[in-house]
C-alpha cells in the first residue's frame, strides 16, 4: 500500500513542488504507507531534458527517499491502451472530429460525435459522462459534489495528435490497487471527478484524496515553472524543509535535516492543514 508523488518533468523542483512532495511523503509515512515516485511525462513537448534526474537529485538531497522503482507514464502505455479497450468494450468511448471553433462555442462538450463508435483517423477519443452527480470526500477540502455533464461533458481520453490524455493515464495509475492515498495540490481538485469517473468505469479501487493548499507568489499566482519559480537550492535542504514544515502547520525544533524529517513524520497530521492557499515569498 502506498501514497505517491507524481511530478511532471517540465523543470526542476521549486518551493511549491517541494512543499507538495514533503506533504505527500509525511502523509504516506504517517499512514504506514510506502511512498512511490512517478513521472507524469506524457506531454512530450513540455518535458525538459535533464529534469527527471535533477528532480531525483533534489528529492534525495532533501531526505525524501522514495520506495521502489521510479515509474514513468511514458513506459506504461500498454496499460492505458488496455484501459481504453475496456472503455470501448463497455460502449463508453467515441471518436470526435469537432473543430476547436465548434468546441469553443460551448462550455461543455456539445455531443456532436457521440454516435461515432467505430475508429476513424485523425480523431480524438472521448469518454461519455453520466447525467448524474459524482460525489466524494476529500480529506482536506471536505465533501465534493460535481455534475460532469454540466461542467465539462464527455471529455478526451486520447488526444487527436496521439498521446493518451492526462486524465486517463492518471486515473489508471492512481487506480492501481496499491495506491490508497493521493495527496496533491488543490489546483488539481477540478481534475479529480474526471479521474474518478474513469476509475469507476474500469472497476478500479478509488484512492482517498487529500488536496492541500498551494503556495502563491507575490502576484497571487501558484508558484510554478510558468510563474517563474526558481529551482530549489539543493545546498540548503535543511532550511528549505524547515520552511515547508512551517507552511504545513508544524513548528519543527532546531534539528539537522534527517532528525527534523523523523520528527515531522511523528508530528504530521492532515487536520493541521488549512483549506486556503498561502502566500510565500
Ligand atoms: Zn465531436
Amino acid at each position: 500500500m502506498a501514497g505517491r508523488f507524481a511530478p511532471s518533468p517540465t523543470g526542476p523542483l521549486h518551493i511549491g513542488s517541494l512543499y507538495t512532495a514533503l506533504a505527500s511523503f509525511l502523509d504516506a509515512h504517517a499512514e504506514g504507507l510506502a511512498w512511490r515516485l512517478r513521472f507524469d511525462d506524457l506531454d512530450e513537448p513540455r518535458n525538459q531534458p535533464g529534469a527527471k534526474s535533477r528532480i531525483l537529485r533534489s528529492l534525495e538531497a532533501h531526505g525524501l527517499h522514495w520506495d521502489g522503482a521510479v515509474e514513468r507514464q511514458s513506459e506504461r502505455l500498454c496499460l492505458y491502451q488496455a484501459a481504453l479497450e475496456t472503455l470501448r468494450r463497455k460502449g463508453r468511448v467515441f471518436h470526435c472530429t469537432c473543430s476547436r471553433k465548434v468546441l469553443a462555442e460551448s462550455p461543455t462538450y456539445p455531443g456532436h460525435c457521440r454516435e461515432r463508435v467505430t475508429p476513424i483517423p485523425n480523431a480524438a477519443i472521448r469518454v461519455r459522462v453520466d447525467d448524474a452527480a459524482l460525489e466524494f470526500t476529500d480529506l482536506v477540502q471536505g465533501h465534493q459534489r460535481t455534475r460532469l455533464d454540466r461542467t465539462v461533458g464527455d471529455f478526451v481520453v486520447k488526444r487527436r495528435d496521439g498521446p493518451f490524455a492526462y486524465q486517463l493515464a492518471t486515473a489508471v495509475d492512481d487506480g492501481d490497487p496499491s495506491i490508497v492515498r493521493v495527496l496533491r495540490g488543490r489546483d488539481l481538485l477540478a481534475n479529480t471527478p474526471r479521474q474518478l469517473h474513469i476509475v469507476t468505469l474500469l472497476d478500479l479501487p478509488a484512492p482517498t484524496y487529500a488536496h492541500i493548499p498551494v503556495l502563491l507568489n507575490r502576484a497571487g499566482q501558484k508558484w510554478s515553472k510558468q510563474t517563474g519559480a526558481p529551482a530549489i537550492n539543493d545546498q540548503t535542504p535543511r532550511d528549505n524543509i524547515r520552511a515547508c514544515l512551517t507552511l504545513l502547520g508544524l513548528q519543527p525544533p532546531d534539528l539537522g535535516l534527517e532528525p527534523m524529517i523523523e520528527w515531522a513524520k511523528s508530528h504530521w497530521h492532515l487536520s493541521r492543514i488549512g483549506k486556503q492557499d498561502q502566500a510565500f515569498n
Side-chain angles (χ1 to χ4, degrees):
M1 302 288 203
R4 95 294 184 276
F5 177 57
S8 297
T10 54
L13 276 193
H14 50 76
I15 187 70
S17 44
L18 179 70
Y19 165 86
T20 308
L22 177 63
S24 160
F25 174 91
L26 293 175
D27 184 61
H29 281 275
E31 292 291 315
L33 304 171
W35 188 60
R36 296 242 211 94
L37 186 62
R38 178 181 88 221
F39 283 115
D40 286 359
D41 59 352
L42 289 185
D43 199 355
E44 184 60 42
R46 290 184 66 229
N47 293 342
Q48 188 186 83
K52 285 177 188 164
S53 54
R54 202 165 167 197
I55 290 171
L56 296 179
R57 276 202 308 277
S58 286
L59 290 172
E60 284 185 323
H62 287 81
L64 304 182
H65 306 294
W66 57 91
D67 297 300
V70 177
E71 290 179 337
R72 292 168 177 79
Q73 287 193 326
S74 58
E75 294 171 355
R76 297 167 62 81
L77 302 182
C78 54
L79 292 172
Y80 311 142
Q81 187 62 43
L84 190 60
E85 293 310 321
T86 302
L87 296 177
R88 193 190 301 283
R89 257 197 328 274
K90 294 189 169 188
R92 278 295 188 152
V93 294
F94 61 89
H95 299 262
C96 171
T97 53
C98 291
S99 67
R100 279 182 192 196
K101 183 168 170 290
V102 165
L103 295 173
E105 284 165 0
S106 154
T108 59
Y109 178 67
H112 296 319
C113 310
R114 271 194 148 190
E115 307 311 319
R116 295 183 159 173
V117 292
T118 42
I120 36 176
N122 198 27
I125 302 178
R126 289 179 184 268
V127 63
R128 286 169 184 262
V129 299
D130 298 316
D131 50 355
L134 195 152
E135 301 187 51
F136 66 101
T137 298
D138 185 86
L139 295 176
V140 177
Q141 305 295 333
H143 185 254
Q144 307 289 313
R145 187 175 193 276
T146 311
R147 286 287 302 250
L148 279 176
D149 58 324
R150 294 178 189 169
T151 51
V152 288
D154 304 335
F155 59 93
V156 173
V157 288
K158 194 164 192 288
R159 288 165 27 180
R160 184 187 291 234
D161 57 343
F164 292 101
Y166 165 78
Q167 308 293 0
L168 176 79
T170 301
V172 169
D173 291 341
D174 290 343
D176 185 286
S178 70
I179 301 292
V180 293
R181 183 79 131 217
V182 171
L183 184 149
R184 57 188 177 187
R186 199 175 71 90
D187 53 316
L188 295 172
L189 181 61
N191 290 312
T192 306
R194 275 172 278 180
Q195 293 165 17
L196 275 174
H197 180 59
I198 296 175
V199 161
T200 305
L201 290 177
L202 294 173
D203 295 319
L204 297 172
T208 53
Y209 290 94
H211 287 84
I212 65 168
V214 297
L215 299 187
L216 305 177
N217 65 17
R218 218 179 283 270
Q221 304 159 313
K222 184 198 167 197
W223 275 116
S224 68
K225 190 191 166 215
Q226 288 74 26
T227 60
I232 203 82
N233 182 355
D234 289 344
Q235 306 305 312
T236 58
R238 182 183 163 282
D239 294 346
N240 301 337
I241 290 289
R242 195 180 173 79
C244 288
L245 288 174
T246 307
L247 288 162
L248 289 165
L250 294 168
Q251 292 169 311
D254 196 11
L255 296 167
L257 176 66
E258 297 282 353
M260 187 160 50
I261 288 176
E262 286 306 312
W263 176 89
K265 281 182 191 174
S266 60
H267 288 77
W268 170 260
H269 206 286
L270 262 182
S271 63
R272 292 218 174 99
I273 309 268
K275 289 186 184 182
Q276 298 303 317
D277 297 339
Q278 298 194 64
F280 180 79
N281 295 308

